Amino acid sequence: MARPGTELSSVTEVLSHPHALAQCARWLAERLPEARLRSVDSTAAAAREVAGTASAAGAAAVAAPLAADLYGPASLATGIGLRAGAVTRFVSVAPAWFPPARTWLDRTSLMVNPGDGPGRLADILTEFGSRDIEVSRLRSWPTGDRLGSYRYFIDVDGHIENPPVQEAMSVIAGLGAGARFLGSYPRWAR
């Protein structure tokens, strides 16, 4: 997207978040091979900057259609990402935060360091399964301590105040796994 009246052929610079630029790299290389790519803090920041009167002529942004509604740039192309339907998940981090009230359609995010030994992750996941808690997302992330050492980001269906979720967290802590509560929040539904 760019200021109204800008033609795709006149774009000389494309602004966006690094992940959005990577997601659209093929399209940008094919259609705007001479354009300079510039990383900014967010896709919304890119759209806001491009829509501003101080933006350079020929500047365009890779951003969600909502950004055009909010800031006023005109869409030059749609569907430019590598994966159709790709979405980004945002997490708000705050020093003093309490989970919102239960909606009974909640999700809880955890970070778990299972420790050493075979089957530790399976033991942790069993604690959720045995309480009929659905694990909706599991992602490994290297700890950086040594090769083969991971921590896991786990999303489960349910609020931290639900007794089964509390019980599972208590048992996981008893297993010697470092479990950190990251937040409970209403699940997103279409």
Side-chain angles (χ1 to χ4, degrees):
M1 56 188 64
R3 283 193 293 200
T6 303
E7 297 292 327
L8 185 62
S9 60
S10 67
V11 171
T12 57
E13 180 180 45
V14 180
L15 292 70
S16 198
H17 186 273
H19 290 242
L21 291 173
Q23 178 67 220
C24 302
R26 181 179 299 155
W27 190 93
L28 293 169
E30 290 172 0
R31 307 264 185 344
L32 298 170
E34 302 298 319
R36 179 176 158 266
L37 305 182
R38 181 161 58 97
S39 295
V40 294
D41 290 337
S42 69
T43 58
R48 186 174 51 244
E49 184 175 330
V50 164
T53 55
S55 70
V62 173
L66 177 61
D69 297 340
L70 290 172
Y71 303 114
S75 179
L76 300 177
T78 59
I80 67 173
L82 290 174
R83 291 180 26 208
V87 294
T88 302
R89 180 178 187 180
F90 293 92
V91 176
S92 177
V93 179
W97 179 82
F98 298 95
R102 285 186 280 190
T103 66
W104 301 105
L105 192 62
D106 301 296
R107 181 156 290 149
T108 295
S109 293
L110 313 165
M111 182 178 68
V112 179
N113 186 348
D116 294 327
R120 298 291 305 226
L121 179 60
D123 293 341
I124 291 165
L125 295 176
T126 298
E127 295 306 323
F128 296 117
S130 67
R131 290 169 178 78
D132 292 325
I133 300 170
E134 181 72 26
V135 173
S136 54
R137 182 173 180 264
L138 173 67
R139 179 165 210 150
S140 63
W141 196 263
T143 63
D145 296 338
R146 66 185 184 288
L147 189 61
S149 176
Y150 295 91
R151 67 180 46 97
Y152 296 90
F153 291 90
I154 302 173
D155 289 353
V156 298
D157 290 350
H159 196 278
I160 191 65
E161 293 177 357
N162 294 1
V165 176
Q166 288 179 342
E167 291 167 13
M169 287 290 290
S170 178
V171 172
I172 290 168
L175 293 173
R180 177 185 256 172
F181 168 69
L182 299 177
S184 286
Y185 44 89
R187 280 188 289 191
W188 179 76
R190 286 182 188 235

